[in-house]
Amino acid sequence: MRLPLLTLTAIATLFVAADASAQTYDPRYPVCMKVYSLGGRGGGGEFYDCSFTSLPQCQATASGRAASCDLNPYYAFNEPPPPPPRRHKKVH
């Protein structure tokens, strides 16, 4: 009985310790910059900054950094709104 209980406890601990990552891409912006960081004490990693409206804007910000720019795969491409309905003039 102790072995199954210990096994379940170990598995539960692994699930609790796993990183819960939030959505990394902001669907409101078409371009994301992936930033690579070394971090201190071996805690390096990467993160996404999806706050750019164009590739040149992102590339200017990424210049000189360990970063790259890409199109946001989750960008919500909004189609332009349909034209307003035509109003007919009444002829008197």
Side-chain angles (χ1 to χ4, degrees):
M1 181 71 177
R2 287 177 72 173
L3 187 59
L5 182 60
L6 289 175
T7 304
L8 287 175
T9 304
I11 292 172
T13 303
L14 289 175
F15 281 118
V16 170
D19 285 341
S21 61
Q23 182 176 354
T24 55
Y25 296 99
D26 187 344
R28 296 175 296 172
Y29 294 95
V31 180
C32 293
M33 177 174 61
K34 184 176 184 179
V35 181
Y36 306 93
S37 62
L38 295 176
R41 299 184 183 167
E46 56 192 41
F47 66 92
Y48 291 90
D49 178 6
C50 295
S51 61
F52 301 97
T53 56
S54 69
L55 275 173
Q57 178 192 28
C58 178
Q59 290 166 340
T61 304
S63 178
R65 300 172 70 180
S68 63
C69 297
D70 256 331
L71 295 178
N72 184 349
Y74 298 102
Y75 176 61
F77 287 98
N78 295 325
E79 294 182 20
R86 292 180 52 172
R87 297 179 184 241
H88 298 288
K89 293 182 180 179
K90 292 184 178 180
V91 178
H92 294 289

